[in-house]
Amino acid sequence: MTRALINAPKTARRGEIIEIRAMLAHPMETGFRTGTMGKAIPRDIINRFVCTWNGEEIFSADLFPAIAANPYLAFTAVATDSGTIAFAWTGDDGETRTAETEITVT
């Protein structure tokens, strides 16, 4: 299971530009390496990352094998309304994992 470390402000003023950061603890195995027995290690990467604010997409990224283990993503958004900032990422296994945080906009 992939863990996510999310860093976003708990409060912001309406119209303020905020920075949102996420680090996904994931090996991002490319499938090109071989294990100790000479057998290829299966590919296991995160393919897609999406961030929504109250259900509206504010950031997305397609990830590829060249991305390092434990991908770190940072982006900015304009604080408009209080609510939920949700994060979702999908891997090669087809499973989508999620995390979320709340923000209060005054």
Side-chain angles (χ1 to χ4, degrees), residues 8-55:
K10 297 290 181 200
T11 62
R13 290 188 305 270
R14 189 171 313 281
E16 181 180 357
I17 297 173
I18 62 167
E19 182 177 41
I20 301 168
R21 294 176 281 182
M23 186 177 82
L24 310 174
H26 192 279
M28 297 294 282
E29 186 56 58
T30 64
F32 297 125
R33 294 186 321 136
T34 56
T36 56
M37 302 301 285
K39 188 174 180 184
I41 299 170
R43 177 177 142 146
D44 180 21
I45 69 167
I46 295 170
N47 295 308
R48 180 102 171 122
F49 175 86
V50 177
C51 178
T52 60
W53 189 319
N54 289 335

